Every structure is written in C-alpha cells, then in structure tokens.
Amino acid sequence: MNDKKQILIILVLIVLSIHYSFAQNPLIRDQFTADPSARVFGDKVYVFPSHDILATEERGRKGWFCMEDYHVFSSENLTDWEDHGVIVTQNKVPWVRPNSYSMWAPDCIEKDGKYYFYFPSTAKDTLTNGRGFTIGVAIADQPEGPYTPESQPIKGVKGIDPNVFIDKDGQAYMYWSQGNIYVAKLKDNMVELDGEVITIDNLPTKGLKEGPYVFERNGVYYLTYPHVENKTERLEYAISDNPLGPFKVTGVIMDESPTGCWTNHQSIINFKNHWYLFYHHNDYSPSFDKARSIRADKLVFNPNGTIQKVTPTLRGIGISQAANKIEIDRYSKLSEQGTSITFIDTTNTFKGWKTVFNKQNAWIQYNDVDFDKEGIKQVKIKAKSSKGGVVQVNTEGLSGKVIAEINIPATEEWTEITAKINTKSKGIKDLFIQSKTDNPIEIDWITFEQ
Ligand code: FUB
C-alpha cells in the first residue's frame, strides 16, 4: 500500500473514531461521566470529567467507584459535544498503582500555551506507603492532547479532587480535598507546590466536603464544594477577597440530587457572557449511583454577587437545531397529566428515553429550537402507537397556530412518520407537541426536514 493510501485510511479512521453527542441533560449519552471540570479554551468549552465504568470480578471493586481513564469532550455551541477519546489511562502513568481503577475527579488548566491535566489516583506503594490518594499532572500542547504524564506525583499532596485556579497576576493555586479542603501555591512550572499547604478554615465541620472548584468574578473569589449537610452531597459556596482565604460560607448552589445520587461535583464557567454550572447526577443508572452522568444548567448571579440556586433541568443548555433529532423527553415543561418519560430499553439505558402520551391534550414543551435554516418543509417523528393516534406540533404556545399534524399509524413497531409543515417557523422557538387522542403514543424524537 502506498503512503497516500495509508494516510487516507488513517484520516478516515480518525474521522470515524470521533463521537458526537447531541446534548441536553445528561450531556454525554454513550458512556458514564462524572465530576465535570469545564474550561473555556479559545472559542470552545472543554469538559474533563471522570469516567465511571462498572466494576466486575476482574476489574475494580464491585459496588464502588471504578475508573480507569479520562476522556475530554469539547463543544462550540454547548449542544454538540465531541469526544476526543482517552487522554490519560491508569496503566500508562508511571506512578499510578496498576489496575487500581481509582482515576477520580480531574481538572485541567492552560498556562503559557501548555495544558496541565491534574488527576488523583492511588500511587505505587513506595510513594505513599500504599495508602490513600495523591495527585499527578499530565501535560499537553493542546487541550485534546496528547498528554504526557509526569513520572512522579506532586510532592507534598495527599488527597483527591485537584482544582487549579490562576489569578489575574499569573499566580497559580491548587486546591484539593481530604476531609478538609486545602490550598497551596504552585510554582511557575505548575508541577510543584510553592510553599506551605493551608487548610481552608471556616467551612462546615460536620459532613463530608470535597471537590473544591474556585473561580473569580468582580474581585470576589468563589470557593465552591459539595458538602453533605443532610443525607447526600449538595453544592455550596464560600467567598473571599483572596484565593488563600479566609472564606466565608455564603450559600447553596444546588440542593441534594433528586435522582438520589450521593455525590455531586461542580465547575462553573462563563462562556459568551453567560454563566453555566456543570455537575453530575446518575441519569443512566438510577439504581447505582457510582455510574454517573454529567449535566449543565444556566447559573445566575444576584446584583450583590451571591449565586441563585440552580434547579437541575433535563433541557439543559444550548440551542437545538430544528434539523437535528430533538429528544423531546429532555423537556422544558410537560402537562400535569397524561405525559410521562421512561427508558426506551431498561436493559440498555444508553438507548435513552421516550415520551409517552396517554391522554387527549397531554403535551410536552421543549425550549430553544433554531428554525432559521431555510427550506424546512416537513416534520419527521419516530413514534409508536398500538392503536394509532394524532399529535399536533406548534411553535407559538399551546394555543398557537398548529404547524403540523401527524397521524401515527396503529403498529407495535417504532415507525418514522413524516408530515407536511403548514406554517413556517422562523428564529428560535419553543416547540410544543400535543396528543389529540386518548390512545397511548410513544415518541422517541422529532426532527424537521427540507
Ligand atoms: O468520582 C469519585 C469521587 O466522587 C470524586 O473524586 C468526588 O468528588 C466524588 O464526586
């Protein structure tokens, strides 16, 4: 085979290996992800999460966290997320104890054109006497990698959940947790502590706190952290006028997870003048909360700089293109009666969810759909109804003009049905789908075509 052919095959393989997920919440829909550290690098958002996998007899410890490697994901529009694949894996890090499956919550930061990826894991016996976690660094020239792990972890650190913050004067600080939350300055090389380790005081003393994440806004340093005030972790924050503290506990960013996930873990970014909270629940694994999924929702500051509590949503962030498959089960609102959401296949939850109508006039609302592409002429829906039914689509409120009516044939099979659009929609609209019969109707997705 000549060189040109080889290069072409490699390029095709690279293109095929890139995975896209079309987001709402959860953001990543083909694997478990947790502990999202979101960063804005250039004009994209990158998310560096942990990667939960399920332990087996051969790998990890059943019933506990099992994490072998890290992927990085990026998005230009907060809707379409590209998986750049594995960037660091346990058995290729010289200091990590082989097959320890303990690659917990990471972080990544850019300094002088280099990307520093910080991650906790258990070290080989000689480094930590075989006990506990320590934190190491892998370095790359681009956020997507390739990352080269340092041969040794950072000296003087015991704990998990590294977070690195660089202040306006260029000084970098590393925060981490182990019962308490700690902070130390980093040297310019970003891989060594510079001076003493400070324990951050004045935080709640009862209940686990971990997962620090610090950002600055208008001269205020926000230290955010998950804390078990009651039964499971909720997201709290404390503020200071100095990255080293003292910090003052100020409020709650997100209450305990309604999905029962014991952990939560946050990061907060400003992207194109809007603030976003990244966090996790256990959407794809309702009965085992160590198989988690990352999410994001908008975050709003009060005029006095305090943070408004964020209510987790399914709709999440970003604008959906009308021409993409829209998973309306990630809804913004639904009718009080007659609409429910269930897994398509409980034996493989990554197949996602479906919307089920079982009452006339039951409806679902999905916000922020961009209809600006020219030439949309028909709507397509993937649906199933054993007795058949009718749904109406509109974009001007529930009592607005119906833009399409779709007849769903009586069949036990999932079917893709198209219908003509009667009135064109323009701009960004909230989409409403309403059942016009009492017959049960299941909907997987909807899209708009030329
Ligand atoms: O993902 C493992 C651990 O769970 C993280 O390090 C903690 O922050 C918690 O989310």
Side-chain angles (χ1 to χ4, degrees):
M1 195 187 304
N2 66 28
D3 286 358
K4 271 192 186 159
K5 266 192 183 160
Q6 268 184 339
I7 291 169
L8 192 67
I9 289 172
I10 290 168
L11 283 175
V12 170
L13 288 175
I14 289 172
V15 169
L16 289 177
S17 71
I18 292 173
H19 300 289
Y20 288 91
S21 309
F22 299 100
Q24 305 95 32
N25 281 328
L27 294 180
I28 306 301
R29 314 187 89 179
D30 62 353
Q31 60 196 287
F32 297 119
T33 48
D35 308 322
S37 176
R39 295 287 178 194
V40 180
F41 295 142
D43 53 7
K44 284 190 186 177
V45 174
Y46 287 81
V47 180
F48 298 83
S50 306
H51 182 198
D52 290 335
I53 54 175
L54 298 177
T56 62
E57 297 299 341
E58 288 76 40
R59 68 177 191 200
R61 185 173 126 203
K62 279 193 157 181
W64 189 238
F65 298 109
C66 185
M67 294 130 106
E68 169 177 29
D69 57 26
Y70 300 100
H71 289 226
V72 59
F73 301 84
S74 71
S75 176
E76 283 171 349
N77 59 12
L78 301 175
T79 299
D80 309 322
W81 291 90
E82 183 179 338
D83 180 356
H84 299 281
V86 173
I87 52 168
V88 172
T89 187
Q90 59 180 8
N91 292 350
K92 289 198 175 153
V93 180
W95 59 266
V96 168
R97 192 193 307 164
N99 300 325
S100 47
Y101 295 96
S102 51
M103 307 295 268
W104 284 19
D107 192 14
C108 186
I109 201 135
E110 185 269 335
K111 185 175 160 70
D112 300 332
K114 294 237 178 269
Y115 296 83
Y116 296 86
F117 180 74
Y118 297 81
F119 57 98
S121 196
T122 48
K124 289 175 180 162
D125 290 4
T126 45
L127 297 169
T128 56
N129 299 324
R131 286 213 309 269
F133 279 77
T134 185
I135 290 169
V137 194
I139 304 169
D141 292 325
Q142 298 177 72
E144 298 86 358
Y147 283 86
T148 307
E150 293 287 282
S151 59
Q152 298 288 317
I154 302 176
K155 282 200 186 67
V157 179
K158 276 193 165 192
I160 58 169
D161 296 353
N163 163 244
V164 174
F165 166 73
I166 302 180
D167 206 357
K168 289 182 290 246
D169 61 2
Q171 176 64 55
Y173 300 83
M174 187 168 85
Y175 301 79
W176 68 95
S177 59
Q178 168 126 306
N180 287 308
I181 292 177
Y182 303 93
V183 57
K185 286 185 179 172
L186 283 175
K187 288 189 181 165
D188 249 10
N189 63 17
M190 300 295 276
V191 298
E192 283 177 283
L193 299 190
D194 190 4
E196 55 167 348
V197 174
I198 297 169
T199 305
I200 297 184
D201 295 326
N202 305 327
L203 299 179
T205 48
K206 277 197 198 144
L208 181 71
K209 50 189 179 302
E210 54 181 358
Y213 180 92
V214 171
F215 66 97
E216 182 266 349
R217 178 181 178 270
N218 296 340
V220 177
Y221 298 86
Y222 293 78
L223 164 63
T224 65
Y225 53 91
H227 168 236
V228 184
E229 168 70 17
N230 188 17
K231 283 195 180 134
T232 64
E233 289 182 340
R234 66 181 195 183
L235 303 179
E236 301 176 7
Y237 71 106
I239 59 170
S240 177
D241 58 7
N242 189 310
L244 295 173
F247 284 90
K248 181 177 179 308
V249 171
T250 305
V252 175
I253 303 172
M254 179 174 276
D255 285 326
E256 293 181 0
S257 159
T259 65
C261 192
W262 197 92
T263 62
N264 201 347
H265 191 114
Q266 75 300 337
S267 56
I268 291 172
I269 56 163
N270 185 293
F271 182 59
K272 298 187 177 164
N273 293 324
H274 292 282
W275 288 90
Y276 298 97
L277 170 73
F278 287 71
Y279 62 101
H280 70 227
H281 281 167
N282 55 328
D283 301 76
Y284 286 118
S285 174
S287 51
F288 179 59
D289 68 354
K290 285 157 192 73
R292 300 158 293 177
S293 296
I294 61 168
R295 296 167 140 249
D297 276 301
K298 288 178 188 143
L299 179 135
V300 176
F301 288 87
N302 292 311
N304 67 359
T306 54
I307 297 175
Q308 289 183 12
K309 211 186 257 185
V310 179
T311 303
T313 73
L314 294 175
R315 176 62 188 85
I317 55 178
I319 308 248
S320 295
Q321 295 300 318
N324 286 343
K325 285 180 185 162
I326 301 168
E327 307 280 350
I328 52 170
D329 48 75
R330 308 295 85 197
Y331 62 88
S332 306
K333 280 189 195 153
L334 39 74
S335 53
E336 270 177 29
Q337 290 181 345
T339 310
S340 57
I341 308 294
T342 58
F343 281 118
I344 288 177
D345 178 354
T346 49
T347 64
N348 179 3
T349 55
F350 288 119
K351 286 194 179 159
W353 293 265
K354 60 188 176 191
T355 303
V356 183
F357 291 134
N358 59 18
K359 206 173 171 35
Q360 188 175 23
N361 292 331
W363 55 268
I364 197 157
Q365 175 180 347
Y366 182 99
N367 288 352
D368 297 335
V369 179
D370 187 350
F371 281 89
D372 257 353
K373 284 246 159 53
E374 288 300 313
I376 285 177
K377 294 205 175 79
Q378 59 182 25
V379 55
K380 185 190 269 183
I381 196 167
K382 185 173 174 192
K384 180 161 87 165
S385 175
S386 55
K387 292 187 179 160
V390 177
V391 294
Q392 289 182 340
V393 181
N394 68 33
T395 53
E396 302 294 340
L398 267 179
S399 47
K401 204 165 184 189
V402 172
I403 65 165
E405 189 163 273
I406 310 170
N407 288 305
I408 296 156
T411 164
E412 299 289 345
E413 302 299 321
W414 283 106
T415 315
E416 293 182 17
I417 310 129
T418 49
K420 211 170 120 272
I421 300 273
N422 304 320
T423 313
K424 292 219 168 76
S425 283
K426 278 230 152 285
I428 294 168
K429 299 284 184 189
D430 297 343
L431 181 65
F432 295 82
I433 320 285
Q434 186 165 41
S435 175
K436 295 320 282 177
T437 65
D438 280 331
N439 294 347
I441 298 171
E442 300 180 1
I443 298 173
D444 186 358
W445 47 255
I446 187 167
T447 189
F448 295 83
E449 297 181 329
Q450 293 188 331

